[in-house]
């Protein structure tokens, strides 16, 4: 009896300590989350006037020391441009005594300029440029890092460096030198051009992602639209720019629309090549271009930049989707650009429900896993309700002017790329019915049908094939009655009776990552410059 009581007491003790071990970090995190808005209010005006790109944080990913007082930071801020860190009480002083990176500066010696050193918080895997020994191993504020070339050096070795001139380091080909912008600005003043006279007010080099500071020019699209950011391309040598779009497929489409605007302005020679760092939910376009289904920091920023330089150039078809509502022929039709796919039916219904709830509570939809789980819940609901039933009786389909007889379907999907639905190879199929792979540059659209949400799920887990309806250069759909959910590249809406026409619009220059590409391949991009959007 005593033994059983002792075992029970031990079990309860273990359960108690386990509960405490789980709850304490959660409570600390919640407390920090509630305190963060209170702390940001008094610092908001300071940040707005500051020359640094300050961002408050409670949790650094490694032990971090204040660059002013040299003490460990519990609650502080970091500059996402130059990388300095400061405790809350030292932020104003750091603003006065520590300079940030300048986007324009005069070169000092033969087109080069001096290192800009920041003391402390150097990467753990770095080595001293002088003695070749490891840096960042001491648990205190020591060693230096150049914010431009990322060179690190020990305290004792700094004074004995052979020269203090910065060559921008390994990634000099993806950094726009500030002295280059300085020289261009001088030329613009001597020969003012209407399209560039005020451009330098728009340049921003501060990144929201601290991992990217110091490497290349980064634009935050929540502060600066891509049409403004891409004007930087017109100040650089034609054909020399590669743009890395960090976001989902919708962000990529936004940037490509801005590039189309550059074409309309006659700036074709300055059109950049576009690469993708997938941060969205589905990332089907990124997957189709070999950039992966999602990025969560599994590879280093340095390798991301190497991949950008080594990628191959491909042309990708872009399409115009024109929607003319029935009875409103004298109104301007709705015109959208399509890169991935257009759909009507259950997958568009899931996207519409997801979009409506994300608009109400955007903070809840901050995780890719949560987003996919919500999609799954809406798909399960539609399996029972079948809101898109008898679509074949409500819609007509024409491919290159020829009428197509539809089987009993609930959805139609018009694809431009190989992937759909978050990583599913829709057109190629499986088993005994494989089809040739799709191409993004052949001027053709692949049109398939689905029987419902359950059929979509079967396709995604490779238990079924879609209904292949054909390929075409032009697709026309006529919705005869009722309202149906539709989407273009993940942007959904509910549409009444209408006529939808999909025609070829243009081609975009994209960067494709081949699986066979190795580090031994010749780097033909030595003179190219990259910016990140």
């Amino acid at each position: 009896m005593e033994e059983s009581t002792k075992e029970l007491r031990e079990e309860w003790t273990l359960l108690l300590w386990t509960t405490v071990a789980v709850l304490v970090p959660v409570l600390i995190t919640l407390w920090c989350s509630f305190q963060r808005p209170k702390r940001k209010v008094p610092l908001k005006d300071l940040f707005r006037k500051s020359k640094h790109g300050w961002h408050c944080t409670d949790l650094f990913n490694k032990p971090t020391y204040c660059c002013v007082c040299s003490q460990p930071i519990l609650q502080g801020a970091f500059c996402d441009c130059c990388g300095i860190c400061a405790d809350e009480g030292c932020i104003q002083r750091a603003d006065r005594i520590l300079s940030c990176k300048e986007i324009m500066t005069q070169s000092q010696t033969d087109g080069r300029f001096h290192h800009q050193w920041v003391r402390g918080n150097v990467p753990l895997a770095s080595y001293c440029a002088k003695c070749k020994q490891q840096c960042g191993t001491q648990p205190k504020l020591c060693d230096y890092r150049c914010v431009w070339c990322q060179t690190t050096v020990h305290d004792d070795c700094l004074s004995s460096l052979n020269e203090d001139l910065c060559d921008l380091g390994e990634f000099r080909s993806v950094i726009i030198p500030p002295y280059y912008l300085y020289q261009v600005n001088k030329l613009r003043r001597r020969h003012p051009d209407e399209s560039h006279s005020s451009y330098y007010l728009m340049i921003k080099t501060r990144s929201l992602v601290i991992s990217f500071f110091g490497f290349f020019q980064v634009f935050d699209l929540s502060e600066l639209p891509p049409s403004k950011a891409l004007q930087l391309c017109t100040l650089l040598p034609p054909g020399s720019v590669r743009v890395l779009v960090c976001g989902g497929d919708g962000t990529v489409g936004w940037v490509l629309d801005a590039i189309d605007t550059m074409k309309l302005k006659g700036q074709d020679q300055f059109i950049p090549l576009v690469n993708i760092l997938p941060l969205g939910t589905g990332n089907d376009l990124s997957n189709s271009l070999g950039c992966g289904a999602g990025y969560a920091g599994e590879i280093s920023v340095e390798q991301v930049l190497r991949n950008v330089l080594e990628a191959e150039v491909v042309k990708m078809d872009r399409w115009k989707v024109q929607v003319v509502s029935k009875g409103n022929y004298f109104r301007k039709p709705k015109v959208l650009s399509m890169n991935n796919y257009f759909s009507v039916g259950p997958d568009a219904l899931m996207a519409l429900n997801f979009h409506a709830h994300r608009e109400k509570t955007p903070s809840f939809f901050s995780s890719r896993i949560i987003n996919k789980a919500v999609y799954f819940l809406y798909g399960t609901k539609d399996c029972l309700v079948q809101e898109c039933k008898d679509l074949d009786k409500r819609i007509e389909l024409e491919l290159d002017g020829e009428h197509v007889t539809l089987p009993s379907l609930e959805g139609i999907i018009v694809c431009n790329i190989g992937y759909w639905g978050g990583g599913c190879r829709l057109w190629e199929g499986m088993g005994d019915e494989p089809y040739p792979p799709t191409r993004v540059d052949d001027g053709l659209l692949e049109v398939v049908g689905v029987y419902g949400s359950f059929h979509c799920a079967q396709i995604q887990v490779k238990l079924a094939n879609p209904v292949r309806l054909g390929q075409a250069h032009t697709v026309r759909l006529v919705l005869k009655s009722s309202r149906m959910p539709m989407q273009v590249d993940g942007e959904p809406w509910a549409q009444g009776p209408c006529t939808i026409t999909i025609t070829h619009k243009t081609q975009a220059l994209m960067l494709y990552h081949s699986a066979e590409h190795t580090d031994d391949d010749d780097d033909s991009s030595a003179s190219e410059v990259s910016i990140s959007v």
Side-chain angles (χ1 to χ4, degrees), residues 229-394:
L230 289 173
Q231 285 302 304
L232 178 58
C233 301
T234 64
L235 305 180
L236 300 171
S240 65
V241 181
R242 296 190 172 201
V243 173
L244 178 64
V245 182
C246 306
D249 291 343
T251 307
V252 178
W254 192 17
V255 173
L256 293 180
D257 285 340
I259 291 176
D260 288 344
T261 303
M262 292 179 64
K263 295 178 181 178
L264 295 176
K265 293 180 179 179
Q267 298 173 343
D268 299 64
Q269 70 271 31
F270 299 111
I271 297 300
L273 307 177
V274 179
N275 196 72
I276 305 172
L277 186 70
L279 301 179
T281 302
N283 303 312
D284 291 308
L285 179 56
S286 171
N287 224 351
S288 299
L289 294 173
C291 301
Y295 178 76
E298 59 273 6
I299 62 174
S300 65
V301 174
E302 292 87 348
Q303 188 57 47
V304 170
L305 301 185
R306 295 186 189 104
N307 292 344
V308 171
L309 294 177
E310 294 170 356
E312 305 170 10
V313 181
V314 298
K315 293 182 178 180
M316 184 188 74
D317 296 320
R318 302 192 73 221
W319 302 82
K320 181 176 76 172
V321 180
Q322 182 172 286
V323 183
V324 180
S325 299
K326 186 177 180 181
N328 294 326
Y329 298 108
F330 296 103
R331 292 185 180 180
K332 190 175 181 180
K334 183 177 183 177
V335 178
L336 303 167
S337 296
M338 185 186 86
N339 304 309
N340 300 3
Y341 38 73
F342 164 88
S343 70
V344 52
D347 67 323
L349 178 62
M350 286 185 280
L352 183 62
N353 289 330
F354 175 85
H355 182 76
H357 283 79
R358 184 170 61 178
E359 289 291 312
K360 294 178 182 178
T361 54
S363 59
F364 179 75
F365 298 90
S366 58
S367 166
R368 190 179 294 129
I369 296 176
I370 292 177
N371 293 350
K372 291 188 176 183
V374 173
Y375 266 103
F376 173 77
L377 291 176
Y378 283 129
T380 304
K381 174 187 173 184
D382 188 60
C383 288
L384 303 174
V385 180
Q386 292 184 309
E387 294 185 32
C388 304
K389 189 177 180 181
D390 298 326
L391 176 68
D392 55 296
K393 299 177 182 178
R394 293 185 266 179

Side-chain angles (χ1 to χ4, degrees), residues 107-114 165:
S107 61
Q108 291 143 349
T109 305
D110 191 24
R112 296 189 294 174
F113 60 106
H114 291 296
L165 293 175

Side-chain angles (χ1 to χ4, degrees), residues 299-513:
I299 62 174
S300 65
V301 174
E302 292 87 348
Q303 188 57 47
V304 170
L305 301 185
R306 295 186 189 104
N307 292 344
V308 171
L309 294 177
E310 294 170 356
E312 305 170 10
V313 181
V314 298
K315 293 182 178 180
M316 184 188 74
D317 296 320
R318 302 192 73 221
W319 302 82
K320 181 176 76 172
V321 180
Q322 182 172 286
V323 183
V324 180
S325 299
K326 186 177 180 181
N328 294 326
Y329 298 108
F330 296 103
R331 292 185 180 180
K332 190 175 181 180
K334 183 177 183 177
V335 178
L336 303 167
S337 296
M338 185 186 86
N339 304 309
N340 300 3
Y341 38 73
F342 164 88
S343 70
V344 52
D347 67 323
L349 178 62
M350 286 185 280
L352 183 62
N353 289 330
F354 175 85
H355 182 76
H357 283 79
R358 184 170 61 178
E359 289 291 312
K360 294 178 182 178
T361 54
S363 59
F364 179 75
F365 298 90
S366 58
S367 166
R368 190 179 294 129
I369 296 176
I370 292 177
N371 293 350
K372 291 188 176 183
V374 173
Y375 266 103
F376 173 77
L377 291 176
Y378 283 129
T380 304
K381 174 187 173 184
D382 188 60
C383 288
L384 303 174
V385 180
Q386 292 184 309
E387 294 185 32
C388 304
K389 189 177 180 181
D390 298 326
L391 176 68
D392 55 296
K393 299 177 182 178
R394 293 185 266 179
I395 201 167
E396 294 180 355
L397 174 65
E398 292 181 5
L399 301 181
D400 289 337
E402 296 186 6
H403 179 78
V404 177
T405 302
L406 298 174
S408 180
L409 298 174
E410 288 191 25
I412 295 175
I413 305 168
V414 182
C415 294
N416 178 49
I417 59 176
Y419 283 90
W420 163 86
C424 173
R425 302 286 295 186
L426 192 63
W427 179 255
E428 284 87 337
M430 49 163 286
D432 298 330
E433 304 180 59
Y435 272 54
T438 59
R439 293 180 59 89
V440 296
D441 61 349
D442 58 2
L444 285 173
L445 293 167
E446 287 73 36
V447 186
V448 301
V450 293
Y451 295 121
S453 295
F454 185 69
H455 187 206
C456 290
Q458 288 180 308
I459 294 172
Q460 288 185 320
V461 296
K462 299 182 180 180
L463 294 178
N465 285 325
V467 181
R468 297 184 183 88
L469 301 174
Q471 293 177 299
H473 298 89
T474 302
V475 177
R476 184 171 181 267
L477 300 103
V478 180
L479 180 60
K480 297 180 289 186
S481 61
S482 72
R483 292 178 69 82
M484 292 293 294
M486 299 182 181
Q487 70 153 336
V488 172
D489 293 352
E491 298 298 325
W493 76 97
Q495 178 66 48
C498 65
T499 300
I500 302 113
T501 306
I502 306 176
T503 55
H504 193 269
K505 179 183 179 182
T506 185
Q507 285 188 321
L509 296 176
M510 309 296 291
L511 292 172
Y512 176 79
H513 295 264

